[in-house]
Amino acid sequence: MKCNITDLSNYANAILRGNYDASIHSVYNKTINLIFGKKLLAIQVSRSPLSPISLITNITENELFSMHIDHSDQVNILSDGLKINSHFFVFKKAQIHDLELKTVLTTLELNNLKKQITTMISASENLGGFEAISNNSPLVEVTPILKVAKSHMNACLNLLNKQCYDDAAKEIVKLIGLGIGLTPSGDDFLCGLLAGMHLLKRTAASIAFEAAVQKKVYQSLKKTNDISAAFLEATLNNNYSYAVKMLTTNVSYQDIYQAFCSIGHSSGIDTLCGIQFVLDSFVK
């Protein structure tokens, strides 16, 4: 079968064009995860949410399943695509998206964003992710995992108030690997936290805290699974999901909310929780 890779990020394109050997990491219903050297990219079915590591195709879930690809199959990198067994994934005409955050928002814009994100998180209860502790909802049972997460968040906030930025970063990065699924809630939260830092006007406090978080996330990548680590590594290179990039555009908040809701079971909303944490901490 021949199919097209229709959409990918600048980040993924650079990896594809790099001089790497490729192999299959894992195969799921809607995704084939590939390893390029030590970098991970994901072939995904049509209409999947675009992330920095996505290779979005024009095929359906059933068509992907019919290829019968498994982790032992050989991957060949061609000049205009990928070949896995007899299947070709052509990226010659793919649309390449810049998913870096380059827009710093004004204080007014940040306060408006904070209100909108709070509303979006409030509309997303009972997902089992960090929305329960971000909203302090009395109607949601707080699990042991969420209690641990909340304790790290509170400790981080206390240290930020004391201007102990390195210790605050050490505390919040303890969330890495915390939660269930391919991308644990703690990892999604940290992706959101780093995204939020990029939206702020640079101050001595924000620069110190962001640098400390980045350093400690990088040092902790092996504490989570390979797929989630790939997302975090992209984040460390200032590359985020398309939904996050939408926060700096004139797209309606309803569309933005739908974009975040489409990311995993709770991953999108957990990412919003991380952004909310930054805005609550640094935007007054």
Side-chain angles (χ1 to χ4, degrees):
M1 179 185 290
K2 183 177 180 179
C3 65
N4 292 319
I5 294 173
T6 59
D7 297 88
L8 69 157
S9 68
N10 276 333
Y11 178 82
N13 187 53
I15 294 173
L16 278 179
R17 305 293 182 179
N19 186 24
Y20 297 110
D21 292 327
S23 60
I24 295 177
H25 174 277
S26 52
V27 180
Y28 296 93
N29 290 340
K30 299 180 181 181
T31 307
I32 301 170
N33 294 307
L34 305 176
I35 292 290
F36 295 80
K38 295 182 179 181
K39 309 288 186 179
L40 188 146
L41 296 179
I43 294 175
Q44 295 175 274
V45 298
S46 176
R47 301 180 183 274
S48 296
L50 180 65
S51 78
I53 68 171
S54 295
L55 304 174
I56 307 295
T57 67
N58 63 341
I59 60 174
T60 66
E61 181 179 349
N62 287 337
E63 287 172 326
L64 183 64
F65 178 79
S66 71
M67 292 180 176
H68 301 295
I69 293 173
D70 67 38
H71 72 278
S72 63
D73 292 335
Q74 185 174 356
V75 180
N76 294 305
I77 305 174
L78 310 177
S79 61
D80 61 350
L82 304 169
K83 181 183 178 184
I84 305 177
N85 291 338
S86 60
H87 307 296
F88 291 88
F89 298 84
V90 181
F91 52 72
K92 186 176 182 179
K93 296 182 179 180
Q95 182 175 354
I96 300 174
H97 301 262
D98 183 356
L99 297 184
E100 291 189 22
L101 285 180
K102 300 175 181 177
T103 303
V104 175
L105 302 182
T106 66
T107 301
L108 180 62
E109 289 171 328
L110 288 168
N111 275 303
N112 185 49
L113 179 61
K114 181 160 62 168
K115 293 176 183 176
Q116 296 295 337
I117 286 178
T118 299
T119 299
M120 287 188 273
I121 294 173
S122 296
S124 307
E125 292 187 350
N126 301 319
L127 293 177
F130 281 14
E131 79 287 342
I133 51 178
S134 293
N135 284 335
N136 295 313
S137 173
L139 302 177
V140 179
E141 179 183 358
V142 178
T143 65
I145 287 177
L146 293 180
K147 288 179 181 178
V148 170
K150 188 65 174 179
S151 70
H152 291 314
M153 291 179 196
N154 289 339
C156 177
L157 286 173
N158 289 333
L159 290 163
L160 283 175
N161 289 333
K162 296 176 183 178
Q163 300 181 3
C164 300
Y165 302 117
D166 195 70
D167 287 341
K170 182 178 179 180
E171 196 65 44
I172 204 66
V173 174
K174 289 178 182 178
L175 295 178
I176 201 164
L178 187 67
I180 60 175
L182 292 177
T183 56
S185 290
D187 297 359
D188 296 323
F189 179 94
L190 289 170
C191 286
L193 184 149
L194 287 168
M197 299 303 299
H198 274 285
L199 298 175
L200 300 176
K201 181 179 179 180
R202 315 313 262 172
T203 65
S206 68
I207 291 170
F209 181 58
E210 181 182 4
V213 171
Q214 288 179 328
K215 178 181 178 180
K216 286 173 172 51
V217 167
Y218 178 76
Q219 293 171 340
S220 303
L221 288 176
K222 292 185 178 179
K223 294 182 179 179
T224 190
N225 65 69
D226 293 343
I227 296 170
S228 197
F231 282 103
L232 285 166
E233 188 172 1
T235 297
L236 293 175
N237 286 278
N238 190 25
N239 281 266
Y240 301 88
S241 69
Y242 185 72
V244 171
K245 185 75 179 237
M246 290 171 71
L247 294 173
T248 62
T249 68
N250 293 322
V251 177
S252 73
Y253 280 107
Q254 183 59 36
D255 289 341
I256 293 173
Y257 175 64
Q258 292 301 324
F260 276 99
C261 287
S262 71
I263 304 173
H265 177 66
S266 67
S267 291
I269 303 303
D270 289 330
T271 301
L272 282 176
C273 291
I275 298 173
Q276 181 192 50
F277 182 86
V278 167
L279 299 183
D280 286 344
S281 302
F282 287 91
V283 180
K284 307 301 180 183

